[in-house]
Amino acid sequence: RKEVEQDPGPFNVPEGATVAFNCTYSNSASQSFFWYRQDCRKEPKLLMSVYSSGNEDGRFTAQLNRASQYISLLIRDSKLSDSATYLCAVGMDSSYKLIFGSGTRLLVRP
Amino acid sequence: DTEVTQTPKHLVMGMTNKKSLKCEQHMGHRAMYWYKQKAKKPPELMFVYSYEKLSINESVPSRFSPECPNSSLLNLHLHALQPEDSALYLCASSQGDRPGQPQHFGDGTRLSIL
């Protein structure tokens, strides 16, 4: 089993749709969680950190479910510009290492 | 615009060449990272420097040699690379006073080995 797993997609949605991605992690000692966005042939860009209480940034909402060991990203009112690959990353407080999921590809169509 | 700057943006080299990748950040971060990313794969950690000391080496072959001259700079020296080393090489930094903080990436060096 991979340490961090994501559905590769692609998720193909119309503009204005709401879409959600999940990311499961295997190590229950994991303490830090992030979502990154990566455009084709570009670097990953930090989208948001994921906190225990959940957090929202505009159209984006991230949540953590420790009991089931997954994090989620919800995108409301999808824009064409949201088309990208979304990577989750998981870390532990004992190490500087982040483990990345393989990414979920999102395509938003007109 | 990224606050982590990498040079060069593209590099083509032969298997017998020696070259270096450079990374610079001026955010006062004390942890810096090298990642390798192949197409359609996630970034794979290679090295971590914390307060200018190497703290993680993910069993990277010795043909890759990292160097951290000061808290703002990170180099990756390349020698006798193989065609399978062709990839996007990403530098990242984080605040570094403790693990578990978000990492910020440079825009990478796209490396091709002939």
Side-chain angles (χ1 to χ4, degrees):
Chain A
R1 184 184 171 188
K2 289 183 183 177
E3 291 184 78
V4 179
E5 291 198 77
Q6 295 183 253
D7 181 340
F11 285 59
N12 191 324
V13 302
E15 269 188 292
T18 295
V19 62
F21 312 133
N22 283 343
C23 166
T24 59
Y25 60 94
S26 60
N27 191 332
S28 59
S30 300
Q31 293 291 336
S32 53
F33 307 90
F34 308 97
W35 282 104
Y36 285 82
R37 171 202 168 117
Q38 187 169 28
D39 293 287
C40 187
R41 297 181 68 81
K42 300 282 192 180
E43 78 277 17
K45 289 188 191 294
L46 180 67
L47 188 61
M48 53 201 307
S49 302
V50 187
Y51 303 119
S52 297
S53 54
N55 46 304
E56 186 174 311
D57 182 3
R59 300 182 291 110
F60 298 84
T61 300
Q63 292 196 311
L64 167 63
N65 185 316
R66 284 194 187 275
S68 300
Q69 293 186 200
Y70 73 87
I71 61 173
S72 63
L73 178 67
L74 181 80
I75 305 176
R76 288 181 298 279
D77 188 22
S78 300
K79 311 291 184 194
L80 295 176
S81 56
D82 293 333
S83 297
T85 295
Y86 291 83
L87 298 160
C88 63
V90 176
M92 289 187 289
D93 283 354
S94 58
S95 170
Y96 284 93
K97 183 175 179 177
L98 282 186
I99 309 287
F100 283 84
S102 297
T104 297
R105 191 159 168 233
L106 172 65
L107 300 172
V108 181
R109 63 181 188 270
Chain B
D1 288 339
T2 182
E3 294 182 83
V4 179
T5 305
Q6 289 187 242
T7 56
K9 297 286 183 268
H10 302 273
L11 179 61
V12 179
M13 58 187 285
M15 289 189 283
T16 57
N17 292 159
K18 284 186 182 181
K19 296 284 185 184
S20 297
L21 308 185
K22 297 187 183 299
C23 175
E24 189 168 4
Q25 57 87 16
H26 293 290
M27 295 182 282
H29 288 176
R30 301 310 298 270
M32 296 185 77
Y33 309 77
W34 280 116
Y35 286 85
K36 173 183 177 179
Q37 187 175 24
K38 303 280 267 185
K40 299 189 189 303
K41 298 288 188 183
E44 291 178 34
L45 184 66
M46 300 174 71
F47 303 103
V48 180
Y49 274 83
S50 171
Y51 289 82
E52 295 99 72
K53 287 186 170 32
L54 183 64
S55 64
I56 297 178
N57 176 342
E58 288 284 286
S59 303
V60 179
S62 60
R63 58 185 184 268
F64 295 91
S65 174
E67 178 197 17
C68 189
N70 60 53
S71 60
S72 301
L73 292 174
L74 186 66
N75 298 323
L76 186 63
H77 303 298
L78 314 173
H79 174 51
L81 295 195
Q82 304 297 309
E84 61 266 26
D85 296 324
S86 298
L88 179 67
Y89 287 83
L90 293 159
C91 174
S93 69
S94 67
Q95 202 164 334
D97 52 322
R98 58 176 176 79
Q101 294 169 317
Q103 296 177 19
H104 302 270
F105 286 85
D107 53 6
T109 294
R110 196 160 295 279
L111 177 65
S112 297
I113 307 300
L114 301 178

